[in-house]
Structure formats: structure tokens, C-alpha cells
Amino acid sequence: MGMIRNFARSVVYGNQLTALLRVLCGALFLYSGFFKVLDMEGFGRVVDMYAMLPSALVPYVAIVLPSLELILGALLAAGYRIRAASCLSMLLMVVFTVAIMVNIARGANFECGCFELSRFGIPERIGWPLVIRDAALFAVFGLVLQARRHLFSLEYYLEKRTLSTL
Amino acid sequence: MKIWKQTAREMAVIILAACVTGTVLNLVLPGGYVFVSKETVSYRKISMISADEARLKYDGRTALFIDARDPAEYEQARIPGSVSIPAEPESISLQGIRANFDLLQGPRELVIYCSASSCESSETLARRFIHMGYSRTLYIIEGGLPAWQERKFPLETARDRRGD
């Protein structure tokens, strides 16, 4: 029991697992942002299906969101500006979850266009499993945000280098 | 508190970077958006058709023909059943549109013609319709009345009306 508690404390503080989760989430954002950026108009049509924004705003969201995912993905995977990147990722998860929940309430049934996982045959239709998944991702980003140590990160490397020069 | 201020600043920078990157990628990559003015979008409702296509609409009685030329030219020769709304001068044109407003808003499509392929009166008149709130597609006969005449399509002349 004590071992599990110690491991949990170590994850919260920031160990290899925390780093792995951060890199995986970064890779997920990079992957989804890459495919969205290749077809921004197609992504715009998905955004429009949520019926949450005025049509005039949809193209702007379809242009900015994939790039935001790419930048957040790169920052998280490389481990640079982790605090800001994980904070923004949490905000994104809140926005995605609310949009999905509103559409569940409306009885909508379409591919959510979230992480382009349907390319691997993983269904991403609007539904409660997606809400749970996004909530889990929100928790992971929260874990990364509050971690004090980020192994295998550019920040960790730079900090070590600065300390060694003192 | 200081760390949160810094985080907020970094978040703003990331969002700004995403806006710039997104705009650049949208310009560079295929599959992006092309931003055009509202005016350009509304002018896309103007469609050029050939005299043969116009004839089909004429035979099907699905279209109202609008003569964009001078009233004097209209009196000399016109497509039977057409209405004269000169494209110029603007005041006369707008007066003509208002006078025929009910007809224009009817179920029939509007086909505009003028005197030659180079004449811009048809397009000028079509733009006036759009400015006045006409929201459906407007058709313009490519080549105008001469193209219609060349194919010996029905024409009503001043002589016909006099009964010569």
C-alpha cells in the first residue's frame, strides 16, 4: 500500500510516467493538428456541425485551432513552456467537452473530428465515451500542470545546465 | 502570483503564434479558406448563359427577360415579353426596378440582356438588383441580343407592332 502511495506521490511530483504522459499528449496534439491543418475547410465543416458558433466565425476557428494544437503538441512533447501549454490544453479540453455535451443533449450523432483517430478505426462519434475521454485528458493535463519536475524535457535540461554553470 | 502572470503571458503568446501560423498555413497549404468580400460572394449569383440556354428558359416560360439597353433600342427590337429596365442612367434604372418590383420578385428567373457581348449594361443592372436585395441567381445572355438574333430566335420589332 505504501509503495503505491509513494509511486502516486512520485507521479504527482513528476517522474518518468508523468513525462511519458506529457509526451504522449503532445504527440496526440501533433498528430491531430497535422491532419486538420491539411484540410482546414473540411475541419471547418466539422466545427460548423457543432452549431455552437456563428457561421462567420467558423473559418477563423478552423484556421487557428489546428495550429494551436500543433504548437501545444510541440511544446508538450519537447517540454518547453509546459505550464502555459498544459493550462491551454486544459482549457481546450473544457471547450471540447462542453461542445460535445451540448450536442449529446441535442441528440446529434456525427464524427467529432477531435483527434482524427477514426483513421485508425477508433470511432469518435459524439457520445458519453468521448466526454469521459476528454475528462481523462483534462486530468492528465492537470497532472502535468502541477508537476514540479519534468523529466525528459527541454526545461529540465536548460535548468540543469543553468545550475551547473553556477 | 508572479508565476501565474508569467503563465498567462505565455498563453497569450502561444495563442498569438497559433493565429499567425494558422493564417500563414492557410495561405500556403491547399485545402484552406479563400477569404473574399461579401460583395464578391453576392456577385457570384450573376451567371452568364448562352443564347441557346436562354432560349430554353424562354420556351419553358420560366424566365422573365429584362432589356438593359436604352428605351429607344428596346422600342426598335426586343425579345417578346421582355421588360425594359435601362442600366443607365442610375436614377432611371432604379425607377424601373421599383416600378417592376412585384414582377421581379415573382417566381420567374431573371434573364438580362443588352446589345453586344462587350456591353456591360447587363452586369451593371444585375449588380443594381443585388444591391436592392435580390437574392436569387441572375442570368445574363452572353453576346446579348445580337447572339439571340443570330440564331433567328423570336424577336419583336417596331415594324411587327405597327402590323406591317
Side-chain angles (χ1 to χ4, degrees), chain A residues 37-41 44 59-60 62-64 67-68 71-72 75 81 83-84 87-88 91, chain B residues 3-4 6-7 10-11 14-15 17-19 21-23 25-26 29-33 35:
Chain A
V37 104
L38 289 181
D39 184 15
M40 292 190 216
E41 212 185 332
Y60 299 100
I63 286 170
V64 173
S67 295
L68 185 61
I71 293 172
L72 290 178
L75 290 174
R81 304 291 183 218
R83 207 176 168 79
C87 211
L88 268 176
L91 280 176
Chain B
I3 198 157
W4 281 109
Q6 194 193 337
T7 307
E10 285 171 6
M11 282 163 68
I14 292 172
I15 291 170
C19 292
T21 314
T23 309
L25 289 175
N26 183 59
L29 294 173
Y33 282 91
F35 287 95

Side-chain angles (χ1 to χ4, degrees), chain B residues 5 10 15 18 54 64-66 68 73 86-87 95-96 99 136 153 159:
Chain B
K5 263 189 184 172
E10 285 171 6
I15 291 170
L64 174 67
F65 284 73
I66 313 273
E73 287 177 292
Q95 206 179 326
R136 287 178 287 163
F153 289 162
R159 192 186 290 172

Side-chain angles (χ1 to χ4, degrees), chain B:
Chain B
M1 193 64 193
K2 195 182 166 191
I3 198 157
W4 281 109
K5 263 189 184 172
Q6 194 193 337
T7 307
R9 226 183 355 252
E10 285 171 6
M11 282 163 68
V13 172
I14 292 172
I15 291 170
L16 191 69
C19 292
V20 174
T21 314
T23 309
V24 172
L25 289 175
N26 183 59
L27 288 173
V28 174
L29 294 173
Y33 282 91
V34 177
F35 287 95
V36 289
S37 67
K38 281 181 186 171
E39 209 172 48
T40 311
V41 173
S42 59
Y43 289 165
R44 281 191 186 157
K45 288 176 194 151
I46 302 172
S47 175
M48 303 299 286
I49 55 169
S50 67
D52 295 314
E53 286 172 296
R55 175 70 199 260
L56 288 174
K57 289 183 189 294
Y58 176 84
D59 288 341
R61 295 175 193 282
T62 56
L64 174 67
F65 284 73
I66 313 273
D67 193 314
R69 301 171 304 158
D70 265 5
E73 287 177 292
Y74 173 77
E75 286 304 321
Q76 276 182 359
R78 62 195 180 212
I79 295 175
S82 61
V83 175
S84 170
I85 304 179
E88 298 289 354
E90 191 178 349
S91 57
I92 303 283
S93 186
L94 295 178
Q95 206 179 326
I97 295 172
R98 280 192 206 102
N100 293 288
F101 197 74
D102 290 340
L103 206 55
L104 301 176
Q105 289 295 335
R108 285 189 288 174
E109 293 171 326
L110 300 187
V111 179
I112 307 170
Y113 66 90
C114 50
S115 56
S117 55
S118 60
C119 97
E120 288 170 359
S121 340
S122 296
E123 208 170 320
T124 308
L125 187 63
R127 286 175 188 229
R128 288 204 208 292
F129 283 142
I130 289 167
H131 278 298
M132 290 186 79
Y134 189 83
S135 57
R136 287 178 287 163
T137 304
L138 288 152
Y139 298 95
I140 293 176
I141 303 179
E142 220 165 351
L145 194 62
W148 181 272
Q149 276 175 306
E150 255 174 44
R151 287 165 179 76
K152 311 250 182 289
F153 289 162
L155 205 67
E156 187 183 321
T157 59
R159 192 186 290 172
D160 294 336
R161 282 197 303 283
R162 283 199 303 269
D164 295 346

Side-chain angles (χ1 to χ4, degrees), chain A residues 87-105:
Chain A
C87 211
L88 268 176
S89 304
M90 284 174 81
L91 280 176
L92 272 188
M93 287 306 128
V94 171
V95 172
F96 292 165
T97 310
V98 169
I100 291 168
M101 283 169 75
V102 167
N103 277 277
I104 291 173

